[in-house]
Amino acid sequence: MSSSEEQSRNSWIIEDDPSKVSSKHKDGFEDILEERRRTSDLRFIFRSRDVPVYKYSHPRSAQQIKDDVLKSDRVKYAVEQVSESTGTSTKEVYEEVQAILDEMAHAYKLGAIRALAMVLTKTMKRLYRRLYVNEEGINKLRSTIKEYPVIILPSHRSYADFLLVSYLFYNYDLPLPVIAAAMDFMSMKFMGWLLRSAGAFYIRRTFSNDQLYWAVFTEYVQTQVCNGDAPVEFYVEGTRSRTAKTYVPKLGMLKASLEPYFKAHIPDLMVVPISISYDRTLEESLYAYELLGVPKPKESTSGLLKARSILSEDFGNVHMFVGEPISVRQFCDGKVDRIVHSTAPRYIASLTESEEALIQDFAYHVVLEQQKQMIISPFVLIATVLMQNRDGIPLRQLVKEVEWLKRQTANLGGYVDWPGSESAESVVQHQLQLHGNILTLTDEAFVELRQSKPPPNVSKEMQRDIVISTGALQIMTALYRNQLLYLFVRVAFIAVSVNSSLHDTLTLDELYQRYSFLEQLFQREFIFMPGHTRQDFDKSILHLTHGGGLMVDDNRVLIKRSTNKYSTFLSQMFEPFLLGYWVVCQYLLSLPGDIHGKPLPKTHKATSQDVQQLVVRLLQEGVVKHYEIQSLDLLGNALLSLTSMGAITKDKRNGEVYLCPNQIVVSRISENLGRYIDLPSIPGSLLVPEVKQVAVPAKL
């Protein structure tokens, strides 16, 4: 892409002040807050809404949906099974079903929806400068809702996500989706009722072993999918990402939603991914301390009211990209035979292994689509540079590095939200002001990180601890750098392999083996389509060779000519992850054994806490410099990945899962990791847990 094309693609306005700028359009996006700032909120809230409806939908009230679930064959079958296995009368089991439905079901009321829309309008105008939405995506969504049942799958990096999606649908006169929400919100006084009345239905976090609850939940979701009462919305990642990286998809809710297609209840189903990108994340400080082990505050209305102070802060812009609707039928075409379910009642037969594998592929396809349409803020580039210059950097050098990184990002297809009519220095300075809570520009034009105010649930002791406070600051900065990692991870794995080679050349087969190891190791950290390792590798090699970043002659990589600023930058970008996983391996190798020499098993929580304490000791003694490897997300992902690679076995005792390392496999992985980075020397005394520890309440 030429520089002129890039400028055009990213240019919109010179003065980004919502009260002064008249144009509300930018590169296919529309600012839906601009009109709200100029016209009556009451007129907007109480206007008549012309809402598209699925052509085969039979209108039902919220109560009628519950009645249909109660009378369904699936629930009747589950009631009979539970009654027979427990000896409880069917009447009592049906009473339990009714209680589950009363707890779960939404209470869709137009009046409550209008009230929520008023609250959201006032709040959004205070929090955000602009709320950009791609108009083409809205137009396609509108026509899709008329023709097919629709599932909405937004990315999930903030509590604001589901509020923004509901506000988006209200603004464009689309039917508000019914939203799968965690039970935490139900207990919030007034807000729990308001959200339920606006379409939220509450589900328990775990219920896989509860046959009755699973039957009620599945029927409740599927009856709304099949009838197309409203779009069904949930998060395929399962929970908010505290790191701004996309989480590995969870399949339970997706299986329940797609099952009607596989069992031929409906001819097709459309899934619409929505990518939500924030200039500044509301919960950035909470996330940082939560990743250090501070439990998140319990959701409550009083807590929400106490958080009103954030309304006076500036959180920049939000971009919402409504993706291309994905046809489940087209995705599965030629891969499944739906007739296999015709010989048994549809509410009894399970999905086949091939169908479950296809659902997994579909889930990964969706989250990769979400990633592809993320908008990259200029601050993401700034944070990426600062994470490699943790002691600070002159403003002039920062601007130069950010401009260079912007070009590399564009070369990989990333969309940087960069105003083409402003100088690079003014863009950087504007971002420094927006994120002034964690950055400062000195009188000597030097940019450095600065301590921000911790959330109120952080103890005074933890606030005074330099390892904890520095860790929180660096994790907060990494929250923004992480938004760039998905774009570079594949080429970075090649760059890391090349930069760490001790030979003059490396065959492409050897390079592929190194790449494959890294992709397998970081399968929980980043999103890779299962079974696409070779395709990802070949595509990355092609990109690097065409761009001059990798020199290949006769299927051999020329190491010296392939070691450059780009490969070094990428190696440093991913070094904290390599080092963090290596430290986890060292901890596992240091565990004391039983009389047979086998390491004593520990619970997942205890293991995570002990590894984090080891990291704290290494930081205190200056053995490692990357404070972000204290993150419980990174350490937890490492344990999960090592488990999947056979380095850890799991044993369930008294309802708790215990982990036991296979030290031969752990040692092999540790040795492999040592090929990619310079390893620190860990004194044996630091591996001993009796050394004074910082009280970090680890939480998974």
Side-chain angles (χ1 to χ4, degrees):
M1 181 184 294
S2 67
S3 59
S4 61
E5 287 174 327
E6 186 181 323
Q7 291 281 327
S8 173
R9 186 170 186 252
N10 292 282
S11 62
W12 66 99
I13 48 179
I14 296 177
E15 191 173 15
D16 194 23
D17 183 343
S19 65
K20 298 178 182 177
V21 180
S22 60
S23 174
K24 64 176 182 176
H25 297 275
K26 176 196 74 173
D27 202 14
F29 286 89
E30 175 187 23
D31 172 25
I32 63 175
L33 292 182
E34 195 267 352
E35 190 172 348
R36 298 281 62 74
R37 299 184 195 278
R38 298 178 181 277
T39 60
S40 165
D41 287 341
L42 284 174
R43 187 176 300 169
F44 167 70
I45 298 304
F46 290 104
R47 75 193 193 283
S48 61
R49 303 179 72 238
D50 182 17
V51 176
V53 179
Y54 174 46
K55 61 184 179 182
Y56 296 126
S57 176
H58 302 290
R60 298 185 294 178
S61 67
Q63 183 58 48
Q64 287 173 325
I65 294 172
K66 291 167 65 176
D67 292 342
D68 287 348
V69 171
L70 202 61
K71 294 181 293 186
S72 67
D73 290 337
R74 184 194 306 272
V75 170
K76 180 181 178 182
Y77 177 76
V79 167
E80 291 171 351
Q81 292 286 303
V82 171
S83 176
E84 184 179 336
S85 63
T86 62
T88 310
S89 69
T90 56
K91 180 183 177 182
E92 289 177 297
V93 180
Y94 265 115
E95 288 175 354
E96 188 178 347
V97 170
Q98 186 65 61
I100 292 172
L101 274 172
D102 291 341
E103 175 190 75
M104 179 186 297
H106 66 73
Y108 224 64
K109 295 184 179 72
L110 182 59
I113 290 171
R114 293 190 188 279
L116 181 63
M118 175 63 84
V119 172
L120 292 179
T121 299
K122 300 293 186 185
T123 304
M124 298 305 168
K125 289 194 293 185
R126 293 284 299 275
L127 286 176
Y128 302 116
R129 299 182 181 190
R130 295 183 178 274
L131 177 50
Y132 286 114
V133 182
N134 63 319
E135 298 170 277
E136 183 182 3
I138 292 295
N139 294 334
K140 289 183 179 179
L141 177 58
R142 182 182 302 279
S143 59
T144 300
I145 287 173
K146 297 176 183 178
E147 299 296 324
Y148 304 94
V150 171
I151 293 175
I152 305 295
L153 297 183
S155 57
H156 198 19
R157 296 179 179 178
S158 171
Y159 273 141
D161 294 331
F162 75 91
L163 298 174
L164 285 168
V165 172
S166 293
Y167 184 74
L168 173 75
F169 277 60
Y170 190 88
N171 181 79
Y172 285 104
D173 289 340
L174 298 171
L176 259 69
V178 293
I179 310 162
M183 298 296 292
D184 306 343
F185 294 100
M186 190 181 76
S187 59
M188 295 175 66
K189 293 179 180 178
F190 177 69
M191 281 305 297
W193 168 86
L194 181 60
L195 293 175
R196 186 193 294 274
S197 300
F201 64 95
Y202 297 109
I203 57 175
R204 300 170 190 171
R205 289 197 179 275
T206 56
F207 52 85
S208 58
N209 295 324
D210 188 331
Q211 181 185 2
L212 193 63
Y213 192 95
W214 180 260
V216 174
F217 157 75
T218 304
E219 188 64 30
Y220 187 74
V221 171
Q222 291 186 4
T223 186
Q224 295 183 85
V225 169
C226 294
N227 191 54
D229 297 284
V232 176
E233 176 189 342
F234 60 92
Y235 301 105
V236 73
E237 297 168 79
T239 186
R240 282 178 302 154
S241 170
R242 271 71 169 172
T243 62
K245 293 192 285 87
T246 301
Y247 284 169
V248 170
K250 303 290 192 296
L251 304 181
M253 185 80 181
L254 191 62
K255 283 182 184 178
S257 302
L258 299 192
E259 186 180 281
Y261 169 76
F262 288 106
K263 295 187 176 179
H265 284 254
I266 49 178
D268 199 0
L269 178 62
M270 287 291 183
V271 175
V272 180
I274 298 180
S275 305
I276 307 175
S277 309
Y278 299 92
D279 278 3
R280 185 179 165 205
T281 307
L282 289 172
E283 304 98 326
E284 57 183 7
S285 180
L286 280 172
Y287 285 169
Y289 280 96
E290 191 175 335
L291 290 171
L292 288 170
V294 179
K296 71 172 183 176
K298 181 178 172 57
E299 288 83 358
S300 65
T301 304
S302 61
L304 188 64
L305 293 174
K306 289 176 184 176
R308 291 196 309 266
S309 60
I310 67 169
L311 294 175
S312 62
E313 296 187 44
D314 181 2
F315 289 89
N317 300 332
V318 180
H319 288 79
M320 301 182 70
F321 189 96
V322 180
E324 188 79 23
I326 305 169
S327 164
V328 175
R329 179 173 186 159
Q330 289 181 13
F331 187 88
C332 300
D333 189 31
K335 300 173 186 174
V336 294
D337 181 7
R338 299 196 293 172
I339 202 170
V340 299
H341 296 293
S342 61
T343 58
R346 292 169 177 167
Y347 55 87
I348 297 177
S350 300
L351 293 174
T352 65
E353 287 186 12
S354 61
E355 288 169 341
E356 295 205 356
L358 198 56
I359 289 174
Q360 176 181 273
D361 287 349
F362 186 84
Y364 275 86
H365 176 71
V366 168
V367 295
L368 287 169
E369 284 297 308
Q370 289 175 347
Q371 285 186 335
K372 190 188 301 181
Q373 305 302 344
M374 286 292 182
I375 306 301
I376 299 167
S377 161
F379 187 71
V380 169
L381 308 181
I382 293 170
T384 303
V385 173
L386 283 170
M387 287 301 290
Q388 297 187 25
N389 296 271
R390 293 184 297 276
D391 294 329
I393 184 173
L395 176 62
R396 181 177 296 181
Q397 184 184 349
L398 175 62
V399 171
K400 184 178 177 181
E401 293 296 323
V402 165
E403 284 193 289
W404 173 83
L405 184 56
K406 177 165 73 80
R407 290 193 296 273
Q408 310 311 318
T409 302
N411 288 340
L412 281 168
Y415 178 81
V416 181
D417 187 31
W418 190 278
S421 51
E422 293 188 29
S423 70
E425 184 170 333
S426 66
V427 172
V428 170
Q429 290 208 17
H430 169 73
Q431 293 296 319
L432 296 181
Q433 291 174 2
L434 180 63
H435 296 270
N437 60 316
I438 58 173
L439 292 175
T440 184
L441 178 62
T442 68
D443 294 338
E444 293 77 28
F446 193 76
V447 180
E448 56 189 6
L449 297 173
R450 74 171 186 185
Q451 293 294 342
S452 64
K453 182 181 178 182
N457 60 321
V458 178
S459 69
K460 295 292 184 183
E461 181 185 0
M462 290 189 72
Q463 290 180 34
R464 289 191 294 268
D465 190 281
I466 189 65
V467 172
I468 300 300
S469 58
T470 304
L473 181 60
Q474 291 197 15
I475 289 173
M476 214 182 304
T477 310
L479 177 80
Y480 296 96
R481 179 221 47 206
N482 289 348
Q483 297 175 37
L484 200 61
L485 298 182
Y486 80 93
L487 201 61
F488 286 95
V489 62
R490 291 162 183 80
V491 293
F493 283 176
I494 292 173
V496 168
S497 301
V498 169
N499 263 30
S500 60
S501 177
L502 301 177
H503 304 287
D504 293 332
T505 64
L506 194 65
T507 69
L508 287 178
D509 286 341
E510 291 170 332
L511 183 57
Y512 176 67
Q513 293 303 317
R514 289 186 167 212
Y515 174 91
S516 299
F517 167 75
L518 291 175
E519 189 172 296
Q520 183 184 15
L521 182 67
F522 291 109
Q523 59 186 287
R524 302 289 306 191
E525 203 74 52
F526 308 104
I527 303 298
F528 304 104
M529 178 63 84
H532 282 226
T533 303
R534 188 79 218 191
Q535 295 96 309
D536 289 346
F537 174 78
D538 290 342
K539 186 176 179 180
S540 300
I541 289 289
L542 193 63
H543 170 80
L544 287 169
T545 52
H546 280 192
L550 193 72
M551 304 302 294
V552 180
D553 182 28
D554 193 24
N555 284 329
R556 299 189 74 88
V557 177
L558 308 179
I559 299 301
K560 287 184 179 179
R561 295 178 61 187
S562 300
T563 304
N564 46 52
K565 176 180 179 177
Y566 188 44
S567 64
T568 302
F569 187 90
L570 294 181
S571 297
Q572 292 176 351
M573 187 189 292
F574 287 85
E575 184 179 287
F577 299 95
L578 291 159
L579 181 61
Y581 277 49
W582 179 80
V583 170
V584 172
C585 288
Q586 301 318 296
Y587 167 79
L588 294 174
L589 291 172
S590 72
L591 289 176
D594 58 18
I595 57 173
H596 303 293
K598 185 178 179 180
L600 296 171
K602 289 191 174 185
T603 64
H604 199 294
K605 181 177 180 179
T607 303
S608 179
Q609 186 176 31
D610 287 350
V611 178
Q612 191 183 51
Q613 293 288 0
L614 171 60
V615 172
V616 168
R617 295 195 294 274
L618 296 177
L619 288 165
Q620 288 172 332
E621 298 300 320
V623 176
V624 297
K625 303 295 184 184
H626 296 289
Y627 283 76
E628 66 177 290
I629 65 174
Q630 296 177 79
S631 166
L632 285 171
D633 183 80
L634 185 150
L635 301 178
N637 284 340
L639 292 172
L640 290 170
S641 179
L642 291 171
T643 301
S644 71
M645 295 174 74
I648 296 175
T649 56
K650 294 196 291 187
D651 182 22
K652 197 164 187 178
R653 305 179 186 178
N654 301 322
E656 278 205 274
V657 176
Y658 284 77
L659 306 181
C660 183
N662 180 327
Q663 295 201 317
I664 295 175
V665 181
V666 173
S667 181
R668 186 169 66 244
I669 293 172
S670 174
E671 186 179 337
N672 239 338
L673 275 167
R675 298 163 62 188
Y676 298 93
I677 53 173
D678 292 330
L679 299 176
S681 176
I682 300 181
S685 59
L686 294 183
L687 291 169
V688 180
E690 282 74 21
V691 176
K692 182 183 177 183
Q693 301 177 358
V694 176
V696 180
K699 175 183 124 349
L700 288 177

